[in-house]
Amino acid sequence: MVIGLGTGSTIFYAIECLSGRIRDGVSVEAVPTSYQTAMRARENGIPLTTLDDNPVLDLAIDGADQVDPQFMMIKGRGAALTREKCVASAAFRFVVVVDEAKVVKKLGGVVPVETLPFATKTAMAQLRGLGCRPFIREAVKKDGPVITDNGNFIVDCQFEAICDPAALEAEISLIPGVIESGLFTRFTGNTTVIVGNEKKCSVYTSPDVVP
């Protein structure tokens, strides 16, 4: 199999499990969505490949910041949203692993948006017109903005509530200078959501069944 690996703490656990399966003889290659994931995968002996060599993936595994009952999501807290969306779109099956606190009735709050540095300020002005408060994400232990693996900025957009996530994703994508947003609304038909808590996990494969 060829699988996509998202970015974040949830994926680190998946990498550890996948490493054990490889030692047991399972044949897998992985497309990482960030330098961080690539480094962690190499450390665990997982062979890496690219979308150039494998434009169609059997499976992609990732986490999410929020998931609603229709399997629409907000992602991007790890600033890898563009590559995560590319990998998700290439996969036959998109598996999202979250704890139960990430399951919400309606999406809202911060939506990350990746922007070209050249056009970030003009993009922010147009993002305000969509009803949010945008802020350039500042780095920790480094002065200045967060720089993505693509060399761009992350603008965190604070929304009170998102009535139509799919329409908002489409509107954001039309703004010149925007690369991608953290709204993931186009993968509901091939998504599996695994919701865990301290005692168990539940697997949902059809929209409208997440509690």
Side-chain angles (χ1 to χ4, degrees), residues 123-201:
M124 289 174 67
Q126 294 184 63
L127 286 165
R128 287 189 191 95
L130 298 180
C132 72
R133 289 183 290 118
F135 302 92
I136 296 175
R137 187 183 298 182
E138 295 290 327
V140 177
K141 299 183 179 179
K142 169 194 171 295
D143 290 337
V146 168
I147 306 298
T148 72
D149 288 359
N150 306 313
N152 299 314
F153 291 172
I154 292 291
V155 176
D156 286 325
C157 300
Q158 178 71 47
F159 287 90
E160 294 302 322
I162 301 173
C163 297
D164 188 339
L168 180 60
E169 181 180 11
E171 287 182 290
I172 292 174
S173 70
L174 293 175
I175 296 174
V178 166
I179 306 300
E180 266 298 351
S181 77
L183 287 165
F184 281 56
T185 68
R186 301 193 299 269
F187 309 110
T188 58
N190 67 335
T191 295
T192 296
V193 175
I194 301 174
V195 182
N197 57 32
E198 294 180 354
K199 296 181 179 180
K200 65 175 184 177
C201 67

Side-chain angles (χ1 to χ4, degrees), residues 4 9 24 28 34 67 74 79-81 85 106 142 150 156 177 183 198 202 209:
S9 58
D24 292 338
V28 173
S34 65
V67 181
I74 296 176
L81 54 103
K85 195 172 283 189
K106 185 179 289 292
K142 169 194 171 295
N150 306 313
D156 286 325
L183 287 165
E198 294 180 354
S202 301
V209 296

Side-chain angles (χ1 to χ4, degrees), residues 5-210:
L5 292 176
T7 296
S9 58
T10 300
I11 297 305
F12 294 160
Y13 293 111
I15 286 172
E16 290 176 356
C17 292
L18 186 59
S19 177
R21 296 293 298 277
I22 289 172
R23 289 193 297 270
D24 292 338
V26 173
S27 178
V28 173
E29 289 184 300
V31 176
T33 55
S34 65
Y35 295 132
Q36 183 187 44
T37 296
M39 291 187 290
R40 187 63 64 92
R42 287 193 183 98
E43 291 169 359
N44 284 270
I46 298 173
L48 299 182
T49 185
T50 66
L51 287 180
D52 285 338
D53 293 328
N54 294 276
V56 178
L57 307 177
D58 297 290
L59 181 74
I61 306 171
D62 211 342
D65 303 323
Q66 291 184 3
V67 181
D68 78 3
Q70 286 74 45
F71 287 10
M72 292 188 281
M73 307 173 197
I74 296 176
K75 292 173 47 57
R77 201 162 288 171
L81 54 103
T82 297
R83 296 191 184 196
E84 289 173 342
K85 195 172 283 189
C86 291
V87 164
S89 68
F92 278 117
R93 174 61 59 181
F94 186 36
V95 177
V96 177
V97 184
V98 295
D99 66 64
E100 59 186 4
K102 304 290 182 64
V103 178
V104 298
K105 293 182 178 180
K106 185 179 289 292
L107 299 180
V110 173
V111 175
V113 176
E114 184 167 350
T115 63
L116 284 173
F118 172 77
T120 293
K121 288 294 185 179
T122 57
M124 289 174 67
Q126 294 184 63
L127 286 165
R128 287 189 191 95
L130 298 180
C132 72
R133 289 183 290 118
F135 302 92
I136 296 175
R137 187 183 298 182
E138 295 290 327
V140 177
K141 299 183 179 179
K142 169 194 171 295
D143 290 337
V146 168
I147 306 298
T148 72
D149 288 359
N150 306 313
N152 299 314
F153 291 172
I154 292 291
V155 176
D156 286 325
C157 300
Q158 178 71 47
F159 287 90
E160 294 302 322
I162 301 173
C163 297
D164 188 339
L168 180 60
E169 181 180 11
E171 287 182 290
I172 292 174
S173 70
L174 293 175
I175 296 174
V178 166
I179 306 300
E180 266 298 351
S181 77
L183 287 165
F184 281 56
T185 68
R186 301 193 299 269
F187 309 110
T188 58
N190 67 335
T191 295
T192 296
V193 175
I194 301 174
V195 182
N197 57 32
E198 294 180 354
K199 296 181 179 180
K200 65 175 184 177
C201 67
S202 301
V203 180
Y204 302 96
T205 56
S206 298
D208 298 316
V209 296
V210 175

